Coordinates of all heavy atoms in Angstrom, one line a residue:
M266 N -23.0 19.5 -8.5 CA -24.1 20.4 -8.9 C -23.5 21.4 -9.8 O -22.4 21.9 -9.6 CB -24.7 21.0 -7.7 CG -25.7 19.8 -7.0 SD -27.1 20.7 -6.3 CE -26.5 21.4 -4.8
L267 N -24.4 21.9 -10.7 CA -23.8 22.9 -11.6 C -24.3 24.3 -11.2 O -23.8 25.3 -11.9 CB -24.4 22.6 -13.0 CG -23.9 21.2 -13.6 CD1 -24.6 20.9 -14.9 CD2 -22.4 21.1 -13.6
C268 N -25.2 24.5 -10.3 CA -25.6 25.8 -10.0 C -25.9 25.9 -8.5 O -25.7 24.9 -7.8 CB -26.9 26.1 -10.7 SG -28.3 25.2 -10.1
D269 N -26.2 27.0 -7.9 CA -26.3 27.2 -6.5 C -27.7 26.8 -6.1 O -28.0 26.5 -4.8 CB -26.1 28.6 -6.1 CG -24.7 29.1 -6.5 OD1 -23.8 28.3 -6.4 OD2 -24.5 30.3 -6.6
R270 N -28.5 26.6 -7.0 CA -30.1 26.3 -6.6 C -30.1 24.7 -6.1 O -29.5 23.9 -6.7 CB -31.0 26.5 -7.7 CG -31.2 28.0 -7.9 CD -32.3 28.2 -8.9 NE -32.0 27.6 -10.2 CZ -32.8 26.7 -10.8 NH1 -33.9 26.3 -10.2 NH2 -32.4 26.2 -12.0
R271 N -30.8 24.6 -5.1 CA -31.0 23.3 -4.5 C -31.9 22.5 -5.6 O -32.8 23.0 -6.3 CB -31.8 23.3 -3.3 CG -30.9 22.9 -2.1 CD -31.8 22.8 -0.8 NE -32.8 21.6 -0.9 CZ -34.1 21.7 -0.5 NH1 -34.5 22.7 0.0 NH2 -34.8 20.7 -0.6
I272 N -31.6 21.2 -5.6 CA -32.5 20.3 -6.6 C -33.6 19.8 -5.8 O -33.3 19.1 -4.8 CB -31.6 19.3 -7.2 CG1 -30.5 20.0 -8.1 CG2 -32.5 18.3 -8.1 CD1 -29.7 18.9 -8.7
D273 N -34.8 20.1 -6.2 CA -36.0 19.5 -5.6 C -36.4 18.3 -6.4 O -37.0 18.3 -7.4 CB -37.2 20.5 -5.4 CG -38.4 19.9 -4.8 OD1 -38.4 18.7 -4.7 OD2 -39.3 20.7 -4.5
G274 N -35.9 17.1 -6.0 CA -35.9 16.0 -6.8 C -37.4 15.5 -7.1 O -37.6 14.8 -8.0
A275 N -38.3 16.0 -6.3 CA -39.7 15.6 -6.4 C -40.4 16.4 -7.5 O -41.3 15.9 -8.2 CB -40.4 15.7 -5.1
R276 N -40.0 17.8 -7.5 CA -40.7 18.7 -8.4 C -40.0 19.1 -9.7 O -40.5 19.6 -10.5 CB -41.1 20.0 -7.5 CG -42.4 19.7 -6.9 CD -43.0 20.9 -6.3 NE -42.3 21.1 -5.0 CZ -42.5 22.2 -4.1 NH1 -43.4 23.1 -4.5 NH2 -41.9 22.3 -3.1
E277 N -38.6 18.9 -9.6 CA -37.9 19.4 -10.8 C -37.2 18.3 -11.5 O -37.0 17.2 -10.9 CB -36.7 20.4 -10.3 CG -37.2 21.7 -9.6 CD -36.0 22.5 -9.2 OE1 -35.4 22.3 -8.2 OE2 -36.0 23.6 -9.9
R278 N -37.0 18.6 -12.8 CA -36.3 17.5 -13.5 C -34.9 17.6 -13.3 O -34.3 18.6 -13.5 CB -36.7 17.7 -15.0 CG -38.2 17.4 -15.4 CD -38.4 18.0 -16.8 NE -37.8 17.2 -17.8 CZ -38.1 16.1 -18.3 NH1 -39.3 15.6 -17.9 NH2 -37.5 15.4 -19.2
W279 N -34.3 16.4 -13.0 CA -32.8 16.4 -12.8 C -32.3 15.1 -13.3 O -33.0 14.1 -13.5 CB -32.6 16.7 -11.3 CG -32.9 15.5 -10.4 CD1 -34.1 15.3 -9.9 CD2 -32.2 14.3 -10.0 NE1 -34.2 14.1 -9.2 CE2 -33.0 13.6 -9.2 CE3 -30.9 14.0 -10.2 CZ2 -32.5 12.3 -8.7 CZ3 -30.4 12.8 -9.6 CH2 -31.2 12.1 -8.8
I280 N -31.1 15.2 -13.6 CA -30.4 14.0 -14.1 C -29.1 13.8 -13.3 O -28.6 14.7 -12.7 CB -30.1 13.9 -15.6 CG1 -29.2 15.2 -15.8 CG2 -31.4 14.0 -16.4 CD1 -28.6 15.1 -17.4
A281 N -28.5 12.6 -13.3 CA -27.1 12.4 -12.9 C -26.2 12.6 -14.0 O -26.3 12.0 -15.0 CB -27.0 11.0 -12.3
E282 N -25.4 13.6 -13.9 CA -24.5 13.9 -15.1 C -23.0 13.8 -14.7 O -22.6 13.7 -13.5 CB -24.8 15.3 -15.5 CG -24.4 16.4 -14.8 CD -23.2 17.1 -15.3 OE1 -23.1 17.3 -16.5 OE2 -22.2 17.5 -14.5
H283 N -22.2 13.6 -15.7 CA -20.7 13.5 -15.5 C -20.2 14.8 -15.1 O -20.3 15.9 -15.9 CB -20.0 12.9 -16.8 CG -20.4 11.7 -17.0 ND1 -21.4 11.2 -17.9 CD2 -19.9 10.4 -16.5 CE1 -21.5 9.9 -17.9 NE2 -20.6 9.3 -17.1
I284 N -19.6 15.0 -13.9 CA -19.0 16.2 -13.5 C -17.9 16.6 -14.4 O -17.8 17.7 -14.9 CB -18.4 16.0 -12.0 CG1 -19.6 15.8 -11.1 CG2 -17.6 17.2 -11.6 CD1 -19.1 15.1 -9.8
R285 N -17.0 15.7 -14.8 CA -16.1 16.0 -15.8 C -16.5 15.1 -17.0 O -16.6 13.9 -16.9 CB -14.7 15.6 -15.3 CG -13.5 15.9 -16.4 CD -12.3 15.7 -15.7 NE -11.1 15.9 -16.8 CZ -10.6 17.0 -17.2 NH1 -11.2 18.1 -16.8 NH2 -9.7 17.2 -18.2
A286 N -16.8 15.8 -18.1 CA -17.3 15.1 -19.2 C -16.4 13.9 -19.8 O -15.2 14.1 -19.6 CB -17.6 16.1 -20.3
L287 N -17.1 12.9 -20.2 CA -16.4 11.8 -20.7 C -15.4 12.1 -21.9 O -14.2 11.7 -21.9 CB -17.3 10.6 -21.2 CG -18.2 10.0 -20.1 CD1 -19.1 9.0 -20.8 CD2 -17.4 9.4 -19.1
E288 N -15.9 13.1 -22.6 CA -15.1 13.4 -23.8 C -13.9 14.3 -23.4 O -13.1 14.6 -24.2 CB -15.9 14.0 -25.0 CG -16.6 15.3 -24.4 CD -17.5 15.9 -25.7 OE1 -17.2 15.6 -26.9 OE2 -18.5 16.5 -25.3
L289 N -13.9 14.9 -22.2 CA -12.9 15.6 -21.6 C -11.9 14.8 -20.7 O -11.2 15.4 -19.9 CB -13.3 16.9 -20.9 CG -13.9 17.9 -22.0 CD1 -14.6 19.0 -21.1 CD2 -13.0 18.5 -23.0
G290 N -12.1 13.5 -20.8 CA -11.2 12.6 -20.0 C -11.8 12.2 -18.7 O -11.1 11.5 -17.8
G291 N -13.1 12.5 -18.4 CA -13.7 12.2 -17.2 C -14.0 10.7 -17.1 O -14.1 10.0 -18.1
A292 N -14.0 10.1 -15.9 CA -14.3 8.7 -15.6 C -15.7 8.4 -15.7 O -16.5 9.2 -15.2 CB -13.6 8.2 -14.4
D293 N -16.1 7.3 -16.1 CA -17.5 6.9 -16.1 C -17.7 6.1 -14.8 O -18.1 4.9 -14.8 CB -17.8 6.0 -17.3 CG -19.4 5.8 -17.5 OD1 -20.1 6.6 -17.0 OD2 -19.7 5.0 -18.3
T294 N -17.6 6.8 -13.7 CA -17.8 6.2 -12.4 C -18.8 7.0 -11.6 O -19.0 8.1 -11.9 CB -16.4 6.1 -11.8 OG1 -15.9 7.3 -11.4 CG2 -15.5 5.2 -12.4
L295 N -19.3 6.4 -10.5 CA -20.2 7.1 -9.7 C -19.6 8.4 -9.1 O -20.2 9.4 -8.9 CB -20.8 6.2 -8.6 CG -21.9 5.3 -9.0 CD1 -22.3 4.4 -7.8 CD2 -23.1 6.2 -9.4
E296 N -18.3 8.3 -8.8 CA -17.5 9.4 -8.1 C -17.6 10.6 -9.0 O -17.4 11.8 -8.6 CB -16.1 8.9 -7.7 CG -15.9 8.0 -6.6 CD -16.2 6.6 -7.2 OE1 -15.5 6.1 -8.0 OE2 -17.1 5.9 -6.6
N297 N -17.7 10.3 -10.3 CA -17.7 11.4 -11.3 C -19.1 11.8 -11.8 O -19.2 12.5 -12.8 CB -16.8 11.0 -12.5 CG -16.5 12.2 -13.5 OD1 -16.3 13.4 -13.0 ND2 -16.6 12.0 -14.8
M298 N -20.0 11.3 -11.0 CA -21.4 11.6 -11.3 C -22.0 12.5 -10.3 O -21.7 12.4 -9.0 CB -22.3 10.4 -11.5 CG -21.8 9.3 -12.5 SD -22.1 9.7 -14.1 CE -23.9 9.3 -14.1
G299 N -22.8 13.4 -10.6 CA -23.4 14.3 -9.7 C -24.8 14.7 -10.2 O -25.0 14.7 -11.4
P300 N -25.8 14.9 -9.3 CA -27.0 15.5 -9.7 C -27.0 16.9 -10.2 O -26.3 17.6 -9.8 CB -27.9 15.4 -8.3 CG -26.8 15.6 -7.3 CD -25.5 15.0 -7.8
A301 N -27.8 17.1 -11.2 CA -27.9 18.5 -11.8 C -29.2 18.7 -12.4 O -29.9 17.7 -12.8 CB -26.8 18.7 -12.9
H302 N -29.7 19.9 -12.3 CA -30.9 20.2 -13.0 C -30.8 19.8 -14.6 O -29.7 20.0 -15.1 CB -31.3 21.7 -13.0 CG -31.5 22.2 -11.5 ND1 -30.5 23.0 -11.0 CD2 -32.7 22.0 -10.8 CE1 -31.1 23.3 -9.6 NE2 -32.4 22.7 -9.6
E303 N -31.8 19.2 -15.1 CA -31.8 18.8 -16.5 C -31.3 20.0 -17.4 O -30.4 19.8 -18.2 CB -33.0 18.3 -16.9 CG -33.0 17.5 -18.2 CD -34.2 16.9 -18.6 OE1 -35.2 17.7 -18.9 OE2 -34.5 15.7 -18.7
A304 N -31.8 21.2 -17.1 CA -31.5 22.4 -18.0 C -30.1 22.7 -17.9 O -29.5 23.1 -18.8 CB -32.5 23.4 -17.6
C305 N -29.6 22.7 -16.6 CA -28.2 23.1 -16.3 C -27.2 22.2 -17.0 O -26.2 22.5 -17.6 CB -28.0 23.1 -14.9 SG -28.9 24.4 -13.9
A306 N -27.6 20.8 -16.9 CA -26.7 19.8 -17.5 C -26.7 19.9 -19.0 O -25.6 19.8 -19.6 CB -27.2 18.4 -17.2
M307 N -27.9 20.4 -19.5 CA -27.8 20.5 -21.1 C -26.8 21.7 -21.5 O -26.2 21.6 -22.4 CB -29.2 20.8 -21.6 CG -30.0 19.6 -21.9 SD -31.7 19.8 -22.1 CE -31.7 20.8 -23.6
V308 N -26.9 22.7 -20.7 CA -26.0 23.9 -21.0 C -24.5 23.4 -20.8 O -23.6 23.7 -21.6 CB -26.3 25.0 -20.0 CG1 -25.2 26.1 -20.1 CG2 -27.6 25.6 -20.4
K309 N -24.3 22.7 -19.8 CA -22.9 22.2 -19.5 C -22.4 21.3 -20.6 O -21.3 21.4 -21.0 CB -22.8 21.5 -18.2 CG -21.4 21.0 -17.8 CD -21.3 20.4 -16.4 CE -20.0 19.9 -16.2 NZ -19.7 18.6 -16.9
T310 N -23.2 20.4 -21.0 CA -22.9 19.5 -22.1 C -22.5 20.3 -23.3 O -21.5 19.9 -24.0 CB -24.1 18.5 -22.4 OG1 -24.3 17.8 -21.2 CG2 -23.8 17.6 -23.5
Q311 N -23.4 21.3 -23.7 CA -23.0 22.1 -24.8 C -21.5 22.7 -24.7 O -20.8 22.8 -25.6 CB -24.0 23.2 -25.1 CG -25.3 22.6 -25.7 CD -26.3 23.7 -25.8 OE1 -26.0 24.8 -25.4 NE2 -27.4 23.3 -26.4
D312 N -21.3 23.2 -23.5 CA -20.1 23.8 -23.2 C -18.8 22.8 -23.3 O -17.8 23.0 -23.9 CB -20.1 24.5 -21.8 CG -18.9 25.3 -21.5 OD1 -18.6 26.3 -22.4 OD2 -18.2 25.1 -20.5
D313 N -19.2 21.6 -22.8 CA -18.1 20.6 -22.8 C -17.9 20.2 -24.3 O -16.6 20.0 -24.6 CB -18.6 19.3 -22.1 CG -18.6 19.5 -20.6 OD1 -18.0 20.4 -20.1 OD2 -19.4 18.7 -20.0
H314 N -18.9 20.1 -25.1 CA -18.7 19.8 -26.4 C -17.8 20.9 -27.2 O -16.9 20.5 -27.9 CB -20.0 19.9 -27.2 CG -20.7 18.6 -27.1 ND1 -20.1 17.3 -27.1 CD2 -22.0 18.3 -26.8 CE1 -21.0 16.4 -27.0 NE2 -22.1 16.9 -26.7
R315 N -18.0 22.2 -26.8 CA -17.2 23.2 -27.4 C -15.8 23.1 -26.9 O -14.9 23.2 -27.8 CB -17.8 24.6 -26.9 CG -18.6 25.3 -28.0 CD -18.6 26.9 -27.7 NE -19.1 27.0 -26.4 CZ -20.4 27.1 -25.9 NH1 -21.4 26.9 -26.8 NH2 -20.7 27.4 -24.8
R316 N -15.6 22.8 -25.7 CA -14.2 22.7 -25.2 C -13.5 21.5 -25.9 O -12.2 21.5 -26.3 CB -14.2 22.6 -23.7 CG -14.5 24.0 -23.0 CD -14.7 23.8 -21.7 NE -13.7 23.1 -20.9 CZ -13.9 22.6 -19.7 NH1 -15.0 22.7 -19.1 NH2 -12.8 22.0 -19.2
A317 N -14.2 20.3 -26.0 CA -13.6 19.2 -26.6 C -13.3 19.5 -28.1 O -12.3 19.0 -28.5 CB -14.6 18.0 -26.4
A318 N -14.2 20.1 -28.6 CA -13.9 20.4 -30.1 C -12.7 21.3 -30.3 O -11.8 21.1 -31.1 CB -15.2 21.0 -30.7
K319 N -12.6 22.2 -29.4 CA -11.5 23.2 -29.4 C -10.1 22.5 -29.2 O -9.1 22.7 -29.9 CB -11.7 24.3 -28.5 CG -10.8 25.6 -28.7 CD -11.1 26.6 -27.6 CE -10.0 27.7 -27.7 NZ -10.0 28.4 -26.4
A320 N -10.1 21.6 -28.2 CA -9.1 20.8 -27.8 C -8.5 20.0 -29.0 O -7.4 19.8 -29.4 CB -9.2 19.9 -26.6
K321 N -9.6 19.4 -29.7 CA -9.3 18.5 -30.8 C -8.6 19.4 -32.0 O -7.6 18.9 -32.5 CB -10.6 17.9 -31.3 CG -10.3 16.5 -31.9 CD -11.8 16.0 -32.3 CE -12.5 15.4 -31.1 NZ -13.9 14.9 -31.6
R322 N -9.2 20.6 -32.2 CA -8.6 21.5 -33.2 C -7.2 21.8 -32.8 O -6.3 21.7 -33.8 CB -9.4 22.8 -33.3 CG -10.6 22.6 -34.3 CD -11.0 23.9 -34.7 NE -11.5 24.8 -33.7 CZ -12.5 24.8 -33.1 NH1 -13.5 24.1 -33.5 NH2 -12.8 25.7 -32.1
Q323 N -6.8 22.1 -31.6 CA -5.5 22.5 -31.2 C -4.6 21.3 -31.4 O -3.5 21.5 -31.9 CB -5.5 23.0 -29.9 CG -6.0 24.5 -29.7 CD -6.2 24.8 -28.2 OE1 -6.2 23.9 -27.4 NE2 -6.4 26.1 -28.0
K324 N -5.0 20.2 -31.1 CA -4.2 19.0 -31.2 C -3.8 18.8 -32.7 O -2.7 18.5 -33.0 CB -4.9 17.7 -30.6 CG -4.0 16.6 -30.3 CD -4.7 15.4 -29.7 CE -5.0 15.7 -28.2 NZ -5.9 14.7 -27.6
I325 N -4.8 18.9 -33.6 CA -4.6 18.8 -35.0 C -3.6 19.7 -35.4 O -2.7 19.4 -36.2 CB -5.9 18.9 -35.7 CG1 -6.7 17.7 -35.6 CG2 -5.6 19.0 -37.3 CD1 -8.2 17.8 -36.1
Q326 N -3.7 21.0 -35.0 CA -2.7 22.0 -35.3 C -1.3 21.7 -34.8 O -0.3 21.9 -35.6 CB -3.1 23.4 -34.8 CG -3.3 24.4 -35.8 CD -4.0 25.6 -35.3 OE1 -4.5 25.5 -34.1 NE2 -4.2 26.7 -36.1
D327 N -1.3 21.2 -33.6 CA 0.0 20.7 -33.0 C 0.8 19.8 -33.9 O 2.0 19.9 -34.1 CB -0.1 20.2 -31.6 CG -0.4 21.3 -30.7 OD1 -0.3 22.5 -31.0 OD2 -0.8 20.9 -29.5
I328 N 0.1 18.7 -34.4 CA 0.9 17.7 -35.1 C 0.9 18.0 -36.7 O 1.3 17.3 -37.4 CB 0.2 16.4 -35.0 CG1 -1.2 16.4 -35.5 CG2 0.3 15.9 -33.6 CD1 -2.0 15.0 -35.6
G329 N 0.5 19.3 -36.9 CA 0.7 19.8 -38.3 C -0.1 19.2 -39.4 O 0.3 19.0 -40.5
A330 N -1.3 18.6 -38.9 CA -2.0 18.0 -39.9 C -3.3 18.9 -40.4 O -4.3 18.5 -40.9 CB -2.7 16.7 -39.3
Y331 N -2.8 20.2 -40.5 CA -3.9 21.1 -41.0 C -3.9 21.3 -42.4 O -3.9 22.4 -43.0 CB -3.6 22.5 -40.3 CG -4.9 23.1 -39.6 CD1 -5.6 22.3 -38.7 CD2 -5.3 24.3 -39.9 CE1 -6.7 22.8 -38.1 CE2 -6.4 24.9 -39.3 CZ -7.1 24.1 -38.4 OH -8.2 24.6 -37.8
G332 N -3.8 20.1 -43.0 CA -3.5 20.0 -44.6 C -4.4 20.8 -45.4 O -3.9 21.6 -46.4
S333 N -5.6 21.0 -45.1 CA -6.6 21.7 -46.0 C -6.3 23.3 -46.0 O -6.6 23.9 -47.1 CB -8.0 21.6 -45.5 OG -8.1 22.1 -44.2
K334 N -5.6 23.7 -45.0 CA -5.3 25.2 -44.9 C -4.0 25.4 -45.7 O -3.7 26.6 -46.0 CB -5.2 25.6 -43.6 CG -6.5 25.8 -42.9 CD -7.2 27.2 -43.2 CE -8.7 27.3 -42.9 NZ -9.0 27.1 -41.5
R335 N -3.3 24.4 -45.9 CA -1.9 24.7 -46.6 C -2.1 24.7 -48.0 O -2.9 24.0 -48.7 CB -1.0 23.4 -46.3 CG 0.4 23.8 -46.1 CD 1.2 22.5 -45.8 NE 1.0 22.0 -44.4 CZ 1.1 20.7 -44.0 NH1 1.5 20.0 -45.0 NH2 0.9 20.4 -42.9
P336 N -1.4 25.7 -48.7 CA -1.6 25.7 -50.1 C -1.1 24.5 -50.8 O -0.1 23.8 -50.3 CB -0.7 26.9 -50.6 CG 0.2 27.2 -49.4 CD -0.4 26.6 -48.2
L337 N -1.6 24.1 -51.9 CA -1.1 22.8 -52.5 C 0.3 23.1 -53.0 O 0.7 24.2 -53.3 CB -2.0 22.6 -53.8 CG -3.4 22.1 -53.5 CD1 -4.2 22.1 -54.8 CD2 -3.3 20.7 -52.9
P338 N 1.0 22.1 -53.1 CA 2.5 22.2 -53.4 C 2.6 22.9 -54.7 O 3.7 23.7 -55.0 CB 3.1 20.8 -53.5 CG 2.1 20.0 -52.8 CD 0.8 20.7 -52.8
S339 N 1.8 22.8 -55.7 CA 1.9 23.5 -57.0 C 0.7 24.2 -57.1 O 0.3 24.6 -58.3 CB 2.0 22.4 -58.1 OG 0.8 21.6 -58.1
G340 N 0.0 24.7 -56.1 CA -1.3 25.6 -56.2 C -0.7 27.1 -56.6 O 0.4 27.4 -56.6
K341 N -1.8 27.9 -56.7 CA -1.6 29.2 -57.1 C -0.8 30.0 -56.2 O -0.1 30.9 -56.5 CB -2.9 29.9 -57.4 CG -3.5 29.7 -58.8 CD -4.7 30.6 -59.1 CE -5.2 30.4 -60.3 NZ -6.7 30.5 -60.5
R342 N -0.9 29.7 -54.8 CA -0.2 30.5 -53.8 C 1.1 29.9 -53.5 O 1.8 30.5 -52.6 CB -1.1 30.6 -52.6 CG -2.2 31.6 -52.7 CD -3.4 31.2 -51.8 NE -3.0 31.4 -50.5 CZ -3.7 30.9 -49.5 NH1 -4.7 30.1 -49.7 NH2 -3.3 31.1 -48.2
S343 N 1.5 28.9 -54.2 CA 2.8 28.3 -53.9 C 3.9 29.0 -54.7 O 3.6 29.5 -55.7 CB 2.7 26.8 -54.3 OG 4.0 26.3 -54.5
P344 N 5.1 29.0 -54.1 CA 6.2 29.6 -54.9 C 6.6 28.8 -56.1 O 7.5 29.1 -56.8 CB 7.3 29.7 -53.9 CG 7.0 28.7 -52.8 CD 5.5 28.6 -52.8
W345 N 6.1 27.5 -56.1 CA 6.5 26.6 -57.2 C 5.3 26.5 -58.2 O 4.1 26.6 -57.8 CB 6.9 25.2 -56.6 CG 8.1 25.3 -55.8 CD1 9.4 25.4 -56.3 CD2 8.2 25.3 -54.4 NE1 10.2 25.5 -55.1 CE2 9.6 25.5 -54.0 CE3 7.2 25.3 -53.4 CZ2 10.0 25.5 -52.7 CZ3 7.6 25.3 -52.1 CH2 8.8 25.4 -51.7
K346 N 5.6 26.0 -59.3 CA 4.6 25.6 -60.3 C 5.1 24.4 -61.1 O 6.3 24.2 -61.2 CB 4.2 26.8 -61.2 CG 5.3 27.2 -62.1 CD 4.7 28.2 -63.1 CE 5.8 28.6 -64.1 NZ 5.2 29.7 -65.1
R347 N 4.0 23.8 -61.6 CA 4.5 22.5 -62.4 C 4.4 22.9 -63.9 O 3.2 23.5 -64.3 CB 3.5 21.4 -62.0 CG 4.2 20.1 -62.3 CD 3.2 18.9 -61.9 NE 1.9 19.0 -62.6 CZ 1.1 18.2 -62.5 NH1 1.2 17.1 -61.8 NH2 -0.2 18.3 -63.3
T348 N 5.3 22.7 -64.6 CA 5.2 23.0 -66.0 C 4.4 21.9 -66.7 O 4.2 20.8 -66.1 CB 6.7 23.1 -66.7 OG1 7.2 21.7 -66.6 CG2 7.5 24.0 -65.9
L349 N 4.2 22.2 -68.0 CA 3.3 21.2 -68.8 C 4.1 19.8 -68.9 O 3.5 18.8 -68.9 CB 3.1 21.7 -70.3 CG 2.2 22.9 -70.3 CD1 2.0 23.4 -71.7 CD2 0.7 22.4 -69.8
S350 N 5.5 19.9 -68.8 CA 6.2 18.6 -68.8 C 6.2 18.0 -67.6 O 6.9 16.8 -67.4 CB 7.6 18.8 -69.4 OG 8.3 19.7 -68.5
G351 N 5.7 18.5 -66.5 CA 5.7 17.9 -65.2 C 6.8 18.2 -64.3 O 6.8 17.8 -63.2
R352 N 7.6 19.1 -64.8 CA 8.7 19.6 -63.9 C 8.2 20.6 -62.9 O 7.4 21.5 -63.2 CB 9.8 20.1 -64.8 CG 10.9 19.1 -65.0 CD 12.1 19.6 -65.8 NE 12.0 21.1 -66.3 CZ 13.0 21.9 -66.0 NH1 13.9 21.7 -65.3 NH2 12.8 23.2 -66.3
I353 N 8.8 20.7 -61.7 CA 8.4 21.7 -60.7 C 9.5 22.8 -60.7 O 10.8 22.4 -60.6 CB 8.5 21.1 -59.2 CG1 7.6 19.8 -59.3 CG2 8.0 22.1 -58.2 CD1 6.1 20.1 -59.5
V354 N 9.1 24.0 -61.0 CA 10.0 25.1 -61.0 C 9.6 26.2 -60.2 O 8.4 26.3 -59.9 CB 10.2 25.5 -62.6 CG1 10.7 24.5 -63.4 CG2 8.8 26.2 -63.1
R355 N 10.5 27.0 -59.9 CA 10.1 28.3 -59.0 C 9.4 29.3 -60.0 O 9.7 29.3 -61.2 CB 11.4 28.9 -58.5 CG 11.8 28.2 -57.1 CD 12.7 29.1 -56.4 NE 12.0 30.1 -55.4 CZ 11.8 29.7 -54.2 NH1 12.1 28.6 -53.7 NH2 11.1 30.5 -53.5
R356 N 8.5 30.0 -59.5 CA 7.8 30.9 -60.2 C 8.8 32.1 -60.5 O 9.6 32.5 -59.7 CB 6.6 31.5 -59.5 CG 5.5 30.5 -59.5 CD 4.3 31.1 -58.7 NE 3.4 30.1 -58.4 CZ 2.5 29.7 -59.3 NH1 2.5 30.3 -60.6 NH2 1.6 28.8 -59.1
Ligands
ZN185 ZN1 -29.3 24.0 -11.7

């Protein structure tokens, strides 16, 4: 359960949701499923998405694949520039 309120299965909308989100490594098994108010589950899913996206960003940074943020080898912010003849020289 995601909140302290009891779920009235007859009168409230509820779903079986993944206690640990699949995208955060949770298992797709009954043991990892629990009842939750539909509204609560939606909030949690959004939070899980944020956390998964953040973890993904950190992983990308760790392996140094943040290419778009790096200045081009011969770009304006690089200490090198390419001459008209194609040679790379220091500025
Ligand atoms: Zn709830």
